Amino acid sequence: MLLSFSVLNNEIVACRRCPRLVEHCRHIAEVKRRAWRDWDYWGKPVPAFGDPNAELLIVGLAPGAHGANRTGRMFTGDRSGEFLFRALYETGFASQPESRSRDDGLKLINAYITAAVRCAPPDNKPSPEEFRTCRGFLQRELEMLMRVRVVVALGRLAFDAYLSARGGNEKFEFAHNREHLLPEGRPLLISSYHPSQQNTSTGRLTLAMLTEVFRRARREIESN
């Protein structure tokens, strides 16, 4: 099992199927942000990470240009990650409340984090074709994560991407902290606003609101 995840992650990092995204990641890694000009940017597709036996799966949209595209780990090194990992720590899914770099000692506990698209997109907007190209990676992860009982989709685009990856004809209305019951044998799906800087700085999503999403996931996991 661990070998399978390692093989998949190596394939993700080596992927060059979306020229626009490859060029954007490379360009950002060269230009950098002034605050990070001494940082050796990752500048490649970002693999998922976490516990391969996880009961909680978290699906985001795509790496941030100066977050995961810089550090090489999902939700690491930007404001979105600050919010997310604080909420995961408060609910027992992360070993520490901060995520700054790949070697900062952070461990996910019974959780796995992935994304609909693995490269940082321009303006944080992958194209429909880029979503489709990346879908196979998420589908393979869904097949390998056999113990997942709860899926938290961060944002409408990640929500739609997860439903597309798993197949089926379900039509669900996206809303924050809403449960969606999938057919028998499928995990419980919870939709959440994305912890983007736009959402958190305007108060559309607060830390308390995001923490409650993961409290709900915790209750479901511990219910049986």
Side-chain angles (χ1 to χ4, degrees):
M1 177 66 73
L2 290 177
L3 180 59
S4 297
F5 279 99
S6 178
V7 169
L8 176 57
N9 285 341
N10 286 339
E11 286 183 34
I12 291 169
V13 173
C15 181
R16 300 293 184 270
R17 284 182 281 177
C18 298
R20 187 181 79 113
L21 299 186
V22 171
E23 173 58 24
H24 182 67
C25 290
R26 184 197 62 78
H27 175 71
I28 292 296
E30 289 181 356
V31 175
K32 305 183 179 181
R33 180 173 283 173
R34 179 176 297 179
W36 308 110
R37 59 188 173 189
D38 294 328
W39 194 283
D40 184 15
Y41 271 57
W42 176 258
K44 295 173 285 191
V46 180
F49 83 106
D51 179 359
N53 294 308
E55 294 176 283
L56 170 64
L57 174 63
I58 301 162
V59 183
L61 171 58
H66 300 281
N69 186 59
R70 173 173 61 86
T71 63
R73 191 173 70 190
M74 291 288 182
F75 284 100
T76 296
D78 58 18
R79 294 289 181 85
S80 296
E82 289 178 11
F83 247 71
L84 177 61
F85 285 106
R86 172 66 66 175
L88 292 175
Y89 176 75
E90 293 292 337
T91 51
F93 291 111
S95 63
Q96 60 193 44
E98 296 181 340
S99 179
R100 299 184 182 277
S101 68
R102 295 195 308 278
D103 56 359
D104 61 7
L106 172 75
K107 301 292 184 184
L108 292 179
I109 303 166
N110 202 20
Y112 198 83
I113 296 179
T114 188
V117 174
R118 310 310 168 98
C119 292
D123 301 319
N124 207 31
K125 294 179 180 179
S127 71
E129 182 180 356
E130 288 159 354
F131 273 110
R132 289 192 294 270
T133 300
C134 237
R135 185 182 299 159
F137 292 139
L138 180 56
Q139 289 172 326
R140 288 166 65 184
E141 287 167 345
L142 297 182
E143 292 172 358
M144 292 190 292
L145 292 163
M146 295 181 291
R147 298 187 68 241
V148 169
R149 297 184 57 191
V150 179
V151 176
V152 172
L154 299 174
R156 178 59 184 264
L157 293 177
F159 179 76
D160 290 344
Y162 169 74
L163 291 173
S164 294
R166 63 172 294 278
N169 300 313
E170 300 86 11
K171 301 294 183 182
F172 297 114
E173 182 179 353
F174 178 88
H176 179 70
N177 201 16
R178 175 173 291 180
E179 293 186 1
H180 309 272
L181 299 178
L182 300 171
E184 185 177 358
R186 300 286 188 176
L188 175 69
L189 174 60
I190 304 175
S191 51
S192 169
Y193 293 148
H194 190 284
S196 65
Q197 187 169 355
Q198 180 179 4
N199 284 343
T200 58
S201 64
T202 60
R204 187 177 192 221
L205 179 66
T206 65
L207 180 59
M209 291 169 62
L210 187 59
T211 301
E212 182 53 38
V213 169
F214 292 107
R215 287 200 180 105
R216 171 171 276 188
R218 170 67 67 189
R219 289 194 295 269
E220 175 64 22
I221 289 170
E222 296 180 347
S223 63
N224 293 316

PDB file of all heavy atoms in Angstrom, residues 12 17 22 52-53 68 72 110 114 155 171 173 181 196 211:
ATOM      1  N   ILE A  12       2.842  11.995 -10.012  1.00  0.00           N
ATOM      2  CA  ILE A  12       2.273  13.345  -9.933  1.00  0.00           C
ATOM      3  C   ILE A  12       3.373  14.396 -10.065  1.00  0.00           C
ATOM      4  O   ILE A  12       3.250  15.349 -10.850  1.00  0.00           O
ATOM      5  CB  ILE A  12       1.497  13.515  -8.612  1.00  0.00           C
ATOM      6  CG1 ILE A  12       0.227  12.655  -8.635  1.00  0.00           C
ATOM      7  CG2 ILE A  12       1.157  14.985  -8.365  1.00  0.00           C
ATOM      8  CD1 ILE A  12      -0.474  12.550  -7.290  1.00  0.00           C
ATOM      9  N   ARG A  17       1.689  17.228 -18.207  1.00  0.00           N
ATOM     10  CA  ARG A  17       0.645  17.133 -19.223  1.00  0.00           C
ATOM     11  C   ARG A  17      -0.118  18.428 -19.487  1.00  0.00           C
ATOM     12  O   ARG A  17      -0.851  18.518 -20.472  1.00  0.00           O
ATOM     13  CB  ARG A  17      -0.343  16.017 -18.838  1.00  0.00           C
ATOM     14  CG  ARG A  17       0.200  14.628 -19.100  1.00  0.00           C
ATOM     15  CD  ARG A  17      -0.800  13.556 -18.762  1.00  0.00           C
ATOM     16  NE  ARG A  17      -0.856  13.301 -17.339  1.00  0.00           N
ATOM     17  CZ  ARG A  17      -1.697  12.450 -16.758  1.00  0.00           C
ATOM     18  NH1 ARG A  17      -2.577  11.795 -17.497  1.00  0.00           N
ATOM     19  NH2 ARG A  17      -1.676  12.256 -15.456  1.00  0.00           N
ATOM     20  N   VAL A  22       2.454  23.961 -16.091  1.00  0.00           N
ATOM     21  CA  VAL A  22       3.890  23.712 -15.944  1.00  0.00           C
ATOM     22  C   VAL A  22       4.667  25.020 -16.061  1.00  0.00           C
ATOM     23  O   VAL A  22       5.548  25.326 -15.250  1.00  0.00           O
ATOM     24  CB  VAL A  22       4.387  22.691 -16.995  1.00  0.00           C
ATOM     25  CG1 VAL A  22       5.907  22.611 -16.992  1.00  0.00           C
ATOM     26  CG2 VAL A  22       3.786  21.314 -16.727  1.00  0.00           C
ATOM     27  N   PRO A  52      -2.122   7.001   4.969  1.00  0.00           N
ATOM     28  CA  PRO A  52      -2.734   6.183   3.915  1.00  0.00           C
ATOM     29  C   PRO A  52      -3.893   5.326   4.416  1.00  0.00           C
ATOM     30  O   PRO A  52      -4.660   4.800   3.603  1.00  0.00           O
ATOM     31  CB  PRO A  52      -1.562   5.310   3.424  1.00  0.00           C
ATOM     32  CG  PRO A  52      -0.587   5.310   4.535  1.00  0.00           C
ATOM     33  CD  PRO A  52      -0.712   6.639   5.215  1.00  0.00           C
ATOM     34  N   ASN A  53      -4.033   5.199   5.736  1.00  0.00           N
ATOM     35  CA  ASN A  53      -5.166   4.476   6.316  1.00  0.00           C
ATOM     36  C   ASN A  53      -6.229   5.431   6.859  1.00  0.00           C
ATOM     37  O   ASN A  53      -7.052   5.050   7.682  1.00  0.00           O
ATOM     38  CB  ASN A  53      -4.688   3.552   7.431  1.00  0.00           C
ATOM     39  CG  ASN A  53      -3.807   2.433   6.905  1.00  0.00           C
ATOM     40  OD1 ASN A  53      -4.188   1.718   5.970  1.00  0.00           O
ATOM     41  ND2 ASN A  53      -2.630   2.267   7.484  1.00  0.00           N
ATOM     42  N   ALA A  68       1.950  26.032  -1.417  1.00  0.00           N
ATOM     43  CA  ALA A  68       2.398  24.679  -1.763  1.00  0.00           C
ATOM     44  C   ALA A  68       3.351  24.669  -2.954  1.00  0.00           C
ATOM     45  O   ALA A  68       4.247  23.828  -3.025  1.00  0.00           O
ATOM     46  CB  ALA A  68       1.201  23.779  -2.037  1.00  0.00           C
ATOM     47  N   GLY A  72       6.158  22.698  -1.539  1.00  0.00           N
ATOM     48  CA  GLY A  72       6.058  21.317  -2.001  1.00  0.00           C
ATOM     49  C   GLY A  72       5.137  20.449  -1.179  1.00  0.00           C
ATOM     50  O   GLY A  72       5.133  19.224  -1.352  1.00  0.00           O
ATOM     51  N   ASN A 110      -5.004  10.269  11.060  1.00  0.00           N
ATOM     52  CA  ASN A 110      -6.236   9.694  10.511  1.00  0.00           C
ATOM     53  C   ASN A 110      -6.833  10.593   9.435  1.00  0.00           C
ATOM     54  O   ASN A 110      -8.049  10.634   9.252  1.00  0.00           O
ATOM     55  CB  ASN A 110      -7.264   9.432  11.612  1.00  0.00           C
ATOM     56  CG  ASN A 110      -8.288   8.380  11.216  1.00  0.00           C
ATOM     57  OD1 ASN A 110      -8.060   7.586  10.308  1.00  0.00           O
ATOM     58  ND2 ASN A 110      -9.429   8.377  11.899  1.00  0.00           N
ATOM     59  N   THR A 114      -5.573  16.032  -0.278  1.00  0.00           N
ATOM     60  CA  THR A 114      -5.291  16.003  -1.695  1.00  0.00           C
ATOM     61  C   THR A 114      -5.924  17.220  -2.352  1.00  0.00           C
ATOM     62  O   THR A 114      -6.426  18.117  -1.669  1.00  0.00           O
ATOM     63  CB  THR A 114      -5.786  14.687  -2.324  1.00  0.00           C
ATOM     64  OG1 THR A 114      -5.326  14.604  -3.667  1.00  0.00           O
ATOM     65  CG2 THR A 114      -7.310  14.589  -2.286  1.00  0.00           C
ATOM     66  N   GLY A 155     -14.526  24.168  -0.801  1.00  0.00           N
ATOM     67  CA  GLY A 155     -14.898  25.022  -1.921  1.00  0.00           C
ATOM     68  C   GLY A 155     -15.715  24.294  -2.963  1.00  0.00           C
ATOM     69  O   GLY A 155     -15.655  23.066  -3.089  1.00  0.00           O
ATOM     70  N   LYS A 171     -26.715  14.941  -7.823  1.00  0.00           N
ATOM     71  CA  LYS A 171     -26.691  16.392  -7.916  1.00  0.00           C
ATOM     72  C   LYS A 171     -26.938  16.959  -6.521  1.00  0.00           C
ATOM     73  O   LYS A 171     -28.019  16.791  -5.955  1.00  0.00           O
ATOM     74  CB  LYS A 171     -27.772  16.894  -8.887  1.00  0.00           C
ATOM     75  CG  LYS A 171     -27.635  16.357 -10.304  1.00  0.00           C
ATOM     76  CD  LYS A 171     -26.362  16.872 -10.980  1.00  0.00           C
ATOM     77  CE  LYS A 171     -26.271  16.383 -12.416  1.00  0.00           C
ATOM     78  NZ  LYS A 171     -25.027  16.827 -13.079  1.00  0.00           N
ATOM     79  N   GLU A 173     -26.530  20.318  -3.755  1.00  0.00           N
ATOM     80  CA  GLU A 173     -26.403  21.764  -3.627  1.00  0.00           C
ATOM     81  C   GLU A 173     -25.280  22.087  -2.646  1.00  0.00           C
ATOM     82  O   GLU A 173     -25.323  21.685  -1.481  1.00  0.00           O
ATOM     83  CB  GLU A 173     -27.713  22.369  -3.137  1.00  0.00           C
ATOM     84  CG  GLU A 173     -27.674  23.887  -3.026  1.00  0.00           C
ATOM     85  CD  GLU A 173     -28.994  24.472  -2.561  1.00  0.00           C
ATOM     86  OE1 GLU A 173     -29.979  23.710  -2.460  1.00  0.00           O
ATOM     87  OE2 GLU A 173     -29.035  25.684  -2.290  1.00  0.00           O
ATOM     88  N   LEU A 181     -25.483  12.830   1.545  1.00  0.00           N
ATOM     89  CA  LEU A 181     -25.499  11.380   1.677  1.00  0.00           C
ATOM     90  C   LEU A 181     -25.334  10.731   0.310  1.00  0.00           C
ATOM     91  O   LEU A 181     -26.201  10.850  -0.560  1.00  0.00           O
ATOM     92  CB  LEU A 181     -26.815  10.940   2.327  1.00  0.00           C
ATOM     93  CG  LEU A 181     -27.058  11.482   3.751  1.00  0.00           C
ATOM     94  CD1 LEU A 181     -28.408  11.016   4.275  1.00  0.00           C
ATOM     95  CD2 LEU A 181     -25.937  11.050   4.683  1.00  0.00           C
ATOM     96  N   SER A 196      -9.689  30.250   1.754  1.00  0.00           N
ATOM     97  CA  SER A 196      -8.897  31.198   0.975  1.00  0.00           C
ATOM     98  C   SER A 196      -8.767  32.506   1.752  1.00  0.00           C
ATOM     99  O   SER A 196      -9.583  32.823   2.627  1.00  0.00           O
ATOM    100  CB  SER A 196      -9.573  31.472  -0.369  1.00  0.00           C
ATOM    101  OG  SER A 196     -10.817  32.133  -0.171  1.00  0.00           O
ATOM    102  N   THR A 211     -13.576  24.957  11.993  1.00  0.00           N
ATOM    103  CA  THR A 211     -13.364  23.954  13.044  1.00  0.00           C
ATOM    104  C   THR A 211     -14.614  23.113  13.237  1.00  0.00           C
ATOM    105  O   THR A 211     -14.533  21.887  13.436  1.00  0.00           O
ATOM    106  CB  THR A 211     -12.965  24.637  14.361  1.00  0.00           C
ATOM    107  OG1 THR A 211     -11.767  25.392  14.151  1.00  0.00           O
ATOM    108  CG2 THR A 211     -12.709  23.613  15.460  1.00  0.00           C
TER     109      THR A 211
END
